[in-house]
Amino acid sequence: MSERIYNFSAGPAMLPTEVLERAESELLSHAGSGMSVMEISHRSKQFETILENARQKIKELLNLPENYHVLFLQGGAAFQFSMIPMNFLAGNQTADYIVTGVWGKKAVKEAKKIGNVSIVFSGEETGFRSVPTQEELNFSSDAAYVHYTSNETIDGVEFKYDLDAGGIPVFCDASSNIMSRPIDAEKYALIYAGAQKNLGPSGVTLVVLRDDLLGKIPDNLPSLLDYRVFVKEGSMPNTPNTWGIYLLDLVCDWLKAKGGVAGMQRENEAKARLLYDAIDKSDGFYRPHAEREARSLMNVTFRLPTEELEERFCVEAEKENLSNLKGHRSVGGIRASIYNAMPREGVATLVKFMNHFAAKNG
Ligand SMILES: *Cc1c(COP(=O)(O)O)cnc(C)c1O
């Protein structure tokens, strides 16, 4: 097998090597059972223990109060764009949406099919380069909830604070920065995240929701679209993604060993600083996409002087084992995704390459 490379993919993204090695060592026989995790019943004690462990570790890592449920769903984060309004935007209610990038815009599109949406901030006209400050935001007094995307993966802009909506339930798509830093969980009514950026493989969606929300859900929903059913059945009204939940549990172990989300924050800030410094010190060769205050610690987006140079940048980076640096087709340019599992050496290697490339082509 060839060496592992530094994979800057936005998702599915790098997993910690230690996690993959542990999974490999247990692949054929988990916990001495003679069976792979993929082969055991989701109703077995063995799997229930895995799921319960994962749930407990998430509660601990996110510092969740007792009145929050931890659910493992399927259908990806994008499925939540529909499931959320189906559960919480019934009747003639309105929800407030903050749109700071491509994902938030998609969430609006789906919510509008279900109910009324009021867009209280949109960064679209200025190219999704910024996030609003708390003071800039005014919410509808009767909003059913406020929805925002804490980190816009494609555009590379991130909220640096936990939103406060003055008592209106706050719903957050945290797919690409969950567990990257401590949050004040009590500020949120619902947090969701596809696992494939910071938590594990694709196919599992983590949903954290506050208990009092359950009382607002209408009774006519199909069972598998009703959060209450997942709460009641412990995330297993049907067969969950057993393998994905198992890997997520291993990632939680890794996070805990690395100092939890506070440890991650220190490391992520250091990694992002290396990269943004290289951009800022390039005399304009590398041009950051995001405004300074909104710069994402997870997805670093920037342009080069020409598209031809951007293409060459990616080709030459690949030769140095720096992979998947091409920006999303809707934004172009370069995007380096540096989630929790990206080691600092990976970023340092990229920075070295960037300095060389700029010196040669600037
Ligand atoms: C990746 C991503 C999604 C979509 O996730 P899927 O699991 O593919 O549905 C939604 N929101 C954000 C912020 C993302 O980064």
Side-chain angles (χ1 to χ4, degrees):
M1 197 188 75
S2 61
E3 292 246 316
R4 278 178 60 77
I5 61 168
Y6 293 120
N7 174 11
F8 293 89
S9 169
M14 268 184 110
L15 285 163
T17 303
E18 296 94 317
V19 166
L20 294 176
E21 283 170 347
R22 167 116 179 250
E24 181 184 40
S25 75
E26 298 177 347
L27 183 66
L28 297 183
S29 175
H30 177 262
S33 67
M35 293 178 283
S36 174
V37 170
M38 285 182 274
E39 302 171 308
I40 61 176
S41 166
H42 60 296
R43 303 288 174 203
S44 63
K45 186 91 199 83
Q46 201 178 334
F47 183 72
E48 282 189 352
T49 304
I50 292 171
L51 190 138
E52 189 47 34
N53 284 345
R55 187 164 28 222
Q56 283 308 328
K57 286 168 201 168
I58 285 164
K59 280 192 163 173
E60 191 184 319
L61 283 161
L62 290 176
N63 198 17
L64 296 179
E66 275 310 306
N67 57 329
Y68 283 73
H69 302 283
V70 173
L71 307 176
F72 303 105
L73 276 64
Q74 301 185 63
F79 190 70
Q80 296 303 305
F81 297 167
S82 304
M83 191 163 169
I84 283 172
M86 288 175 93
N87 280 260
F88 302 114
L89 200 49
N92 217 9
Q93 299 184 89
T94 298
D96 284 352
Y97 276 69
I98 298 166
V99 181
T100 51
V102 173
W103 289 114
K105 200 178 155 188
K106 289 190 183 199
V108 165
K109 184 178 168 212
E110 296 307 317
K112 276 184 172 166
K113 296 176 185 174
I114 313 288
N116 303 320
V117 170
S118 169
I119 296 173
V120 293
F121 175 90
S122 173
E124 187 163 21
E125 270 177 30
T126 47
F128 292 135
R129 294 168 195 277
S130 64
V131 302
T133 61
Q134 180 74 62
E135 293 69 38
E136 277 176 80
L137 293 165
N138 289 304
F139 304 106
S140 317
S141 57
D142 57 347
Y145 60 84
V146 175
H147 179 281
Y148 80 114
T149 313
S150 51
N151 181 67
E152 280 286 357
T153 321
I154 289 172
D155 313 276
V157 295
E158 182 173 22
F159 282 80
K160 302 295 163 60
Y161 62 96
D162 301 304
L163 194 78
D164 188 334
I168 303 167
V170 173
F171 291 7
C172 180
D173 177 358
S175 292
S176 51
N177 69 348
I178 187 132
M179 306 256 189
S180 66
R181 62 176 169 91
I183 56 163
D184 183 357
E186 284 187 71
K187 289 229 169 113
Y188 299 86
L190 189 154
I191 304 170
Y192 63 98
Q196 70 271 24
K197 278 73 182 237
N198 243 349
L199 295 177
S202 63
V204 192
T205 310
L206 172 69
V207 174
V208 170
L209 87 168
R210 208 173 60 206
D211 184 65
D212 62 280
L213 289 178
L214 300 177
K216 303 180 179 189
I217 299 171
D219 284 326
N220 58 351
L221 291 176
S223 301
L224 293 184
L225 293 174
D226 186 330
Y227 290 113
R228 292 175 304 186
V229 173
F230 285 87
V231 169
K232 184 161 168 274
E233 305 289 341
S235 290
M236 298 204 292
N238 65 336
T239 319
N241 179 347
T242 52
W243 174 249
I245 293 167
Y246 157 76
L247 278 176
L248 194 146
D249 179 51
L250 297 189
V251 169
C252 287
D253 282 339
W254 179 83
L255 283 169
K256 285 171 55 154
K258 296 279 177 187
V261 290
M264 283 301 121
Q265 180 178 35
R266 279 193 296 278
E267 199 55 31
N268 288 329
E269 283 175 350
K271 287 184 312 193
R273 197 175 316 118
L274 282 178
L275 208 35
Y276 285 115
D277 274 355
I279 290 169
D280 291 339
K281 289 178 182 152
S282 71
D283 286 329
F285 184 78
Y286 299 114
R287 282 177 293 122
H289 174 78
E291 284 174 11
R292 187 172 292 272
E293 313 75 56
R295 288 175 168 183
S296 169
L297 297 190
M298 300 280 100
N299 310 96
V300 179
T301 47
F302 55 98
R303 305 296 310 238
L304 271 64
T306 65
E307 284 187 19
E308 191 258 319
L309 276 171
E310 287 168 350
E311 210 161 292
R312 198 181 322 152
F313 179 94
C314 291
V315 170
E316 291 187 15
E318 200 79 44
K319 292 181 193 150
E320 306 290 324
N321 285 337
L322 303 163
S323 202
N324 290 318
L325 284 158
K326 192 171 156 53
H328 190 271
R329 60 189 183 280
S330 65
V331 177
I334 306 295
R335 170 175 54 174
S337 296
I338 51 172
Y339 300 119
N340 287 346
M342 171 59 69
R344 204 190 292 204
E345 310 86 78
V347 177
T349 309
L350 173 60
V351 164
K352 206 167 138 207
F353 168 77
M354 285 169 68
N355 290 340
H356 269 289
F357 191 87
K360 207 167 61 181
N361 298 286

